[in-house]
Amino acid sequence: SYVLTQPPSVSVAPGKTASLTCGGDNIGRKSVHWYQQKPGQAPVLVIYNDDDRPSGIPERFSGSNSGNTAILTISRVEAGDEADYYCQVWDTSDHWAFGGGAKLTVL
Amino acid sequence: QAQLQESGPGLVKPSETLSLTCSVSGYSVNSGYYWGWIRQPPGKGLEWIGSISHGGYTYYKPSLKSRVTMSVDTSNNQFSLSLNSVTAADTAVYFCARSLRGGWTVPFDWWGQGALVTVSS
């Protein structure tokens, strides 16, 4: 099975930049998608295909993917960005794999 | 805009079958999108269960494949999930979702609000 590794928690001050990582074997060869999930709500797709934003997602959200690490970057972090973030890839073995999730705390 | 709504029993006994339906509005289940089920145990992360195409073709998570069946009901614009031989480990919030566009490797951009299913006697 394909394993995606995310640090359980990330903290950032308002107005600063948050970098959330997602590690996987040669993940740079795959398309990575990112979801934001706030408590009690369904996940929201914030980045797809490494660095594309769905309509309605602020430009503050961006992504990159290379080697063994994909990164979701949130610029000018706001209190409303506090949430759990999950990375996702399609793999031929497990089909859809999710990372364990990272809780973003805005200090 | 698409709207998805899960429905089904909130309590299922161990060894029985969990059945959920996702009612879709705003789009036809036959419109070329793919549809999926994802679950989330309380306090834990997301787990993909399976996906189904508008034509009824399916992909299931390998570890659940022996227990999962998904189907599409075009006449009622809905799709469903059946998971048999459930245990307490199947207790979770179950989400239905729509893919961004047609294709197995396309992520999900519209999600239902989720339905909590508890497995307990």
Side-chain angles (χ1 to χ4, degrees), chain A residues 33 35 37 42-43 45 48-49 86 88 90 93-96 98, chain B residues 40 44-46 48 59-60 62 100 104-108 111-112:
Chain A
H33 320 293
Y35 296 87
Q37 186 182 32
L45 183 67
Y48 67 98
N49 293 350
Y86 294 90
Q88 178 197 34
W90 176 272
S93 60
D94 282 345
H95 308 316
W96 280 121
F98 284 99
Chain B
Q40 185 172 37
K44 296 188 177 180
L46 301 170
W48 173 75
Y59 260 119
Y60 300 140
L100 183 63
W104 298 115
T105 65
V106 178
F108 303 107
W111 294 61

Side-chain angles (χ1 to χ4, degrees), chain A residues 3 15 17 21 23 35 52 58 62 76-77 86-87 91 100:
Chain A
V3 177
T17 297
T21 61
Y35 296 87
D52 286 329
S62 62
R76 302 181 300 282
V77 167
Y86 294 90
C87 56
D91 179 72

